[in-house]
């Protein structure tokens, strides 16, 4: 979305003065002398100026409009412990049988009892929240991204497929690529002068931090932990180049004139022509190394850097404003949308375009020979909304830009970024090829356009389109498996400074009751409608609480990490099989709306699960469903068919009932 226990805990509420006040005595009172310490603080002028946490190396925002905006955002709150524990029990209830739920309830009561471990950890977490710009930001970046050692390809980085163009040969590919580059640089001007429109959710302004970590950013592999470097508007280094990949070769293109004005699309086109000429024959696919397991890639990266030539090339790639990949021809087969989704997710494999990539690059745009265009982005600096805002601007620009013309002005020569490879590096490349090809063959992608209706229909029924789609997905899954599953929907917490996401849990007691009723012919239609509305309202309420900083998943993670950092044993609550089941998201979902018929795609987060992303338009719905072929339990085509039927059933139910 773009999200009480019968125990004696300190209960908190937000007053109209934006103060968090204790309603009764408890652990929070013991870490401060007065209520003023509980104020939800903003980062105003008297406090430390905004800067990115240290793990975003170089991300500093200079004084200006955006810095002033960031300083006025509230900090992410720490929800009340009792509230989180009660909501946790409600969330796991549909996933557990009676005996399992009784066991989990006892663990929750023990954890949350007065004077117990939960209160102690809550107090420590609240203290952390008072001392930091965000109690969660560094924990989340490391836990979700930089400490995660699986390959970024398919497991972290999404692909975005934009509406395909119609190219007739390579020259049209290059002309469109030149327009694309110019449009992206046009957007970067807004980033540099801090004139990007500030996002809002209702009347609330949102954190814009992620927008300033998109350009000139790159993930750097480590043997145990990665880092992210950002050469943003406030950095001492101001990159003036992009990197273009073609035939597995990399080139640095200077895209500004001597006055720091972006070059014209005609000059950029002339440079791209030279890149293609200089890279007529493919090179060893060094870029495919970025698809490896992070520990493995970290070791190889260290080897590469020992050579001065390699070090200079790596430095140029890391600092580049973004990367442009000019791909070779791809045979589309019967499902061209699925083929494009694969191309944008991973390049299609070692025999196609996967070596023509640098998957660590935050922004990596692709232009195919047949009009396939889109983006692969490394996820650690940002979620989907800033990416889609950038892409929408790029598409607007390309649709309005004049035709590219030949120029008599000689642009600066593209600079080749060579790599020196020895036997160890070549062996690592061969291994990376094999490993990636296994993953590519295992990933099933099913892009679907549901043409029967769009978000206009649920709006006509006074229902939230996002909640409607989420409940339809619950019904689709239930039709196939006859049980619910833990479901993750990304809910933005950007109402708060440095906010990222929390989990909207779409599987609920209410959604399960509705699904059971829909599969029971004995339940009257009127009762089914009432259950549907109840499930949708329940989801909407949970989503609103989540985007307001009252989600449970990040709070529970914070309590767990607080215990670990304090040198304590992991609390039993987090060792419970119910907690493991609650985090085994067989449905991992995200709504990423766009003004164009673009769709975002990502892989499942568990071996027996699905990835599900959607872009709801007014009169149709765009989905992309992913699953692993190696799982006998999943089938993206079957889930797509079940979702199609569920959407039809729900419309028929509501339409029929409205006529009665």
């Amino acid at each position: 979305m773009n999200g009480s226990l019968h125990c004696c805990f300190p209960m908190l509420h937000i007053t109209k003065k934006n103060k968090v006040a204790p309603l009764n005595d408890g652990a929070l009172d013991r870490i401060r002398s007065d209520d003023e310490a509980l104020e939800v603080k903003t980062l105003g002028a008297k406090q430390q100026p905004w800067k990115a946490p240290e793990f975003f190396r170089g991300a500093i925002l200079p004084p200006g409009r955006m810095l002033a905006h960031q300083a006025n955002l509230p900090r992410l709150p720490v929800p009340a412990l009792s509230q989180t524990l009660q909501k946790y029990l409600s969330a796991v209830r549909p996933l557990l049988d009676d005996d399992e739920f009784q066991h989990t309830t006892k663990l929750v009561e023990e954890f949350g009892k007065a004077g117990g471990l939960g209160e102690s950890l809550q107090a420590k977490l609240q203290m952390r929240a008072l001392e930091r710009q965000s109690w969660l930001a560094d924990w989340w970046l490391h836990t979700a991204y930089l400490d995660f050692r699986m390959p970024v390809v398919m497991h972290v980085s999404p692909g975005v497929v934009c509406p395909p163009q119609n190219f007739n040969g390579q020259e049209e590919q290059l002309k469109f690529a030149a327009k694309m580059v110019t449009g992206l640089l046009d957007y970067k001007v807004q980033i540099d002068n801090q004139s990007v429109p500030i996002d809002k959710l209702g009347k609330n302004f949102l954190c814009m931090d992620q927008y300033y970590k998109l350009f000139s950013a790159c993930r750097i592999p480590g043997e145990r932990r990665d880092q992210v470097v950002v050469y943003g508007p406030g950095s001492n280094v101001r990159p003036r180049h992009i990197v273009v990949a073609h035939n597995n070769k990399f080139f640095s293109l200077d895209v500004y004139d001597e006055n720091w004005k972006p070059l014209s699309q005609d000059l950029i086109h002339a440079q791209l022509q030279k890149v293609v000429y200089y890279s007529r024959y493919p090179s060893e696919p060094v870029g495919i190394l970025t698809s490896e397991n992070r520990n493995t890639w970290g070791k190889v990266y260290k080897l590469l850097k020992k050579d001065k030539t390699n070090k200079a090339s790596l430095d140029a790639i890391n600092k580049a404003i973004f990367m442009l990949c000019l791909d070779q021809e791809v045979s589309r087969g019967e499902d061209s949308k699925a083929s494009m989704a694969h191309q944008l997710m991973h390049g299609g494999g070692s025999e196609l375009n996967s070596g023509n990539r640098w998957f660590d690059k935050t922004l990596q745009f692709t232009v195919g020979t047949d009009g396939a265009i889109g983006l692969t982005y490394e996820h650690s600096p940002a979620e989907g909304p800033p990416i889609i805002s950038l892409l929408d601007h790029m598409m607007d620009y390309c649709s309005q830009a004049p035709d590219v013309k030949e120029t008599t002005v000689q642009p600066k020569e593209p600079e080749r970024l060579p790599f020196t490879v020895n036997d160890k590096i070549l062996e690592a490349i061969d291994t990376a090829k094999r490993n990636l090809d296994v993953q590519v063959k295992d990933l099933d992608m099913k892009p679907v356009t549901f043409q029967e209706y769009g978000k206009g229909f649920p709006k006509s029924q006074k229902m939230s389109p996002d909640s409607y789609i989420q409940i339809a997905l619950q019904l689709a899954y239930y039709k196939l498996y006859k049980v619910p599953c833990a479901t993750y929907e990304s809910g933005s917490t950007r109402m708060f400074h440095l906010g990222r996401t929390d989990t909207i849990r779409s599987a609920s007691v209410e959604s399960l009751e509705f699904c059971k009723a829909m599969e029971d012919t004995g339940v009257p239609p009127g009762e089914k409608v009432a259950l549907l509305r109840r499930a949708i309202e329940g989801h909407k309420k949970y989503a609103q609480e989540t985007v307001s900083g009252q989600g449970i998943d990040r709070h529970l993670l914070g309590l767990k990490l607080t215990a670990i950092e304090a040198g304590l044993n992991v609390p039993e609550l987090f060792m419970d099989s119910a907690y493991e089941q609650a985090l085994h998201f067989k449905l991992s979902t995200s709504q990423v709306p766009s003004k164009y018929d673009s769709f975002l795609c990502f892989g499942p987060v568990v071996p027996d699960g699905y990835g599900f992303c959607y872009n709801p338009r007014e009169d149709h719905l765009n989905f992309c469903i992913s699953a692993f072929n190696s799982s006998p339990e999943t089938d993206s085509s079957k889930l797509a068919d079940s979702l199609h039927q569920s959407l039809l059933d729900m419309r028929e139910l509501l339409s029929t009932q409205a006529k009665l």
Side-chain angles (χ1 to χ4, degrees):
M1 172 173 179
N2 223 43
S4 72
L5 280 175
H6 188 62
C7 300
C8 299
F9 312 138
M11 295 291 291
L12 304 177
H13 73 282
I14 307 293
T15 70
K16 291 182 179 179
K17 294 182 179 180
N18 273 347
K19 293 181 181 179
V20 182
L23 299 184
N24 61 310
D25 294 334
L28 290 171
D29 295 325
R30 293 193 290 271
I31 65 170
R32 63 191 63 76
S33 59
D34 56 58
D35 291 351
E36 289 299 315
L38 283 165
E39 185 176 353
V40 177
K41 294 183 178 179
T42 61
L43 301 172
K46 293 183 180 180
Q47 299 182 39
Q48 183 179 0
W50 179 90
K51 64 177 181 178
E54 60 182 12
F55 35 80
F56 277 111
R57 239 175 56 203
I60 302 169
L61 193 60
R65 167 177 169 268
M66 199 52 59
L67 181 61
H69 161 69
Q70 292 294 125
N72 288 319
L73 290 171
R75 297 182 185 185
L76 183 70
V78 178
L81 181 61
S82 61
Q83 172 184 287
T84 291
L85 295 180
Q86 181 61 59
K87 289 173 72 173
Y88 172 67
L89 284 177
S90 297
V92 299
R93 185 64 191 99
L95 309 177
L96 307 177
D97 63 30
D98 291 344
D99 290 340
E100 290 170 333
F101 184 68
Q102 186 177 7
H103 173 72
T104 297
T105 300
K106 288 180 180 177
L107 292 179
V108 168
E109 289 175 346
E110 175 64 25
F111 182 78
K113 69 182 180 182
L117 178 58
E119 272 197 3
S120 173
L121 296 176
Q122 175 81 351
K124 288 182 171 64
L125 187 57
Q126 186 69 49
M127 179 62 78
R128 177 184 172 93
L130 292 171
E131 295 172 343
R132 292 171 178 257
Q133 297 181 38
S134 168
W135 63 263
L136 177 63
D138 56 346
W139 272 345
W140 182 245
L141 182 71
H142 285 127
T143 302
Y145 299 112
L146 303 187
D147 290 348
F148 185 68
R149 307 322 287 159
M150 294 283 282
V152 294
V153 182
M154 289 180 242
H155 300 285
V156 176
S157 298
V160 184
V161 180
C162 295
Q165 308 300 301
N166 185 20
F167 298 156
N168 184 18
Q170 188 179 72
E171 186 56 25
E172 290 189 6
Q173 175 194 23
L174 298 184
K175 286 182 177 180
F176 187 88
K179 289 183 181 182
M180 178 187 284
V181 170
T182 312
L184 294 167
L185 294 174
D186 183 69
Y187 192 82
K188 188 176 185 297
V189 169
Q190 297 182 38
I191 294 289
D192 290 344
N193 62 25
Q194 301 190 28
S195 64
V196 177
I198 295 174
D199 293 340
K200 292 179 72 175
L201 181 62
K203 295 181 180 180
N204 296 297
F205 290 104
L206 303 183
C207 179
M208 298 293 287
D209 168 66
Q210 296 177 28
Y211 283 79
Y212 294 84
K213 294 174 181 171
L214 296 178
F215 290 108
S216 303
C218 196
R219 182 165 169 164
I220 308 295
E223 293 183 47
R224 294 186 179 179
R225 167 182 284 180
D226 293 357
Q227 60 179 305
V228 180
V229 292
V230 183
Y231 299 92
S235 171
N236 293 329
V237 177
R238 189 180 180 187
R240 51 183 297 130
H241 69 283
I242 66 171
V243 168
V244 179
H246 181 253
N247 256 339
N248 306 336
K249 292 182 171 73
F250 300 99
F251 295 83
S252 172
L253 268 64
D254 192 328
V255 290
Y256 290 96
D257 65 16
E258 64 275 8
N259 298 314
W260 280 96
K261 181 181 177 182
L263 296 182
S264 70
Q265 62 183 24
D266 300 339
L267 286 173
I268 290 171
H269 172 245
Q271 284 186 302
L272 295 179
Q273 287 179 312
K274 291 190 175 187
V275 165
V276 169
Y277 178 78
Y278 293 148
S279 55
R280 297 186 298 279
Y281 307 105
S283 291
E284 282 292 339
V286 176
I288 208 166
L289 292 167
T290 62
S291 70
E292 266 285 22
N293 171 284
R294 302 307 294 177
N295 289 349
T296 302
W297 170 218
K299 292 174 183 176
V300 178
Y301 187 88
K302 202 172 178 180
L303 281 176
L304 278 172
K305 280 182 66 177
K306 290 181 178 180
D307 180 272
K308 289 183 179 180
T309 299
N310 294 344
K311 190 175 186 301
S313 295
L314 291 169
D315 190 53
I317 290 172
N318 295 340
K319 290 178 180 175
I321 299 167
F322 57 83
M323 181 167 284
L324 171 67
C325 304
L326 300 173
D327 274 4
Q328 299 299 319
E329 187 173 350
V330 175
S331 177
R332 293 297 172 202
E334 294 181 2
D335 191 341
S336 62
K337 274 190 175 181
S339 172
M340 291 178 186
H342 281 283
Q343 184 175 359
L344 270 301
M345 274 283 287
H346 49 66
S350 65
E351 296 299 316
L352 294 175
N353 291 292
S354 295
N356 201 50
R357 297 285 188 274
W358 198 268
F359 290 107
D360 288 352
K361 198 64 187 163
T362 301
L363 295 176
Q364 184 170 224
F365 299 90
T366 294
V367 183
T369 56
D370 63 350
I373 60 169
L375 163 78
T376 309
Y377 81 94
E378 200 287 305
H379 207 327
S380 56
E383 271 72 54
I387 298 293
I388 294 299
S389 176
L390 168 63
L391 285 174
D392 282 351
H393 180 93
M394 180 198 80
M395 294 299 297
D396 286 345
Y397 188 97
C398 291
S399 67
Q400 299 164 12
D403 291 339
V404 175
K405 298 177 181 178
E406 297 297 327
T407 177
T408 57
V409 178
Q410 286 298 314
K412 187 176 178 180
E413 283 285 311
E415 180 187 350
R416 174 77 192 280
L417 303 177
F419 284 96
T420 303
V421 294
N422 55 27
D423 289 343
K424 281 189 176 181
I425 303 298
L426 289 172
E427 184 179 344
I429 289 172
D430 286 340
T431 302
K433 285 181 182 179
R434 290 192 297 272
N435 290 341
L436 180 64
D437 287 343
V438 169
Q439 293 186 76
V440 167
K441 289 177 183 176
D442 194 26
L443 185 66
D444 181 31
M445 304 280 283
K446 185 69 178 177
V448 178
T449 300
F450 180 77
Q451 300 279 13
E452 306 299 325
Y453 62 88
K455 63 182 180 181
F457 176 71
K459 287 196 292 186
S460 74
Q461 302 295 308
K462 295 181 170 54
M463 295 175 171
S464 158
D466 180 68
S467 298
Y468 182 94
I469 292 169
Q470 285 289 330
I471 299 305
L473 181 60
Q474 290 298 308
L475 178 57
Y477 189 91
Y478 189 83
K479 282 176 179 286
L480 290 179
Y481 298 99
K482 307 307 177 189
V483 292
C485 71
T487 304
Y488 176 100
E489 181 187 359
S490 178
S492 173
T493 54
R494 287 175 56 218
M495 287 199 317
F496 304 97
H497 183 63
L498 300 181
R500 293 292 300 257
T501 64
D502 206 336
T503 307
I504 301 169
R505 289 186 168 268
S506 302
S508 64
V509 172
E510 294 82 5
S511 67
L512 179 57
E513 288 175 348
F514 165 68
C515 292
K516 287 180 175 179
M518 285 296 284
E519 294 294 278
D520 186 347
T521 55
V523 178
E527 186 176 335
K528 291 179 180 179
V529 169
L531 289 171
L532 172 57
R533 291 192 177 276
R534 185 180 169 207
I536 286 175
E537 283 303 309
H539 177 274
K540 181 181 175 182
K541 179 176 181 289
Y542 196 106
Q544 289 172 337
E545 291 170 352
T546 300
V547 301
S548 299
Q550 301 301 309
I552 67 170
D553 281 71
R554 305 297 182 263
H555 186 198
L556 290 171
L557 174 66
L559 294 169
K560 178 181 177 181
L561 293 176
T562 298
I564 293 171
E565 288 197 357
L568 304 174
N569 291 330
V570 175
E572 279 191 72
L573 175 66
F574 304 114
M575 304 297 287
D576 183 22
S577 61
Y579 187 69
E580 181 181 357
Q581 190 172 345
L583 294 180
H584 191 82
F585 293 112
K586 292 186 178 182
L587 287 174
S588 177
T589 77
S590 183
Q591 177 188 199
V592 184
S594 166
K595 64 191 289 187
Y596 289 93
D597 269 321
S598 303
F599 64 89
L600 188 144
C601 44
F602 51 80
V605 298
V606 295
D608 55 347
Y610 296 95
F612 179 79
C613 197
Y614 51 106
N615 173 17
R617 308 298 303 280
E618 197 64 31
D619 60 356
H620 62 279
L621 305 171
N622 293 315
F623 305 113
C624 189
I625 302 171
S626 65
F628 291 122
N629 291 315
S630 56
S631 171
E633 299 177 33
T634 56
D635 187 317
S636 57
S637 293
K638 286 184 179 179
L639 183 61
D641 291 342
S642 184
L643 177 61
H644 184 98
Q645 189 59 51
S646 296
L647 288 165
L648 293 178
D649 291 348
M650 286 167 61
R651 181 179 66 172
E652 182 181 2
L653 176 67
L654 291 166
S655 300
T656 303
Q657 194 63 21
K659 295 175 183 178
L660 298 179

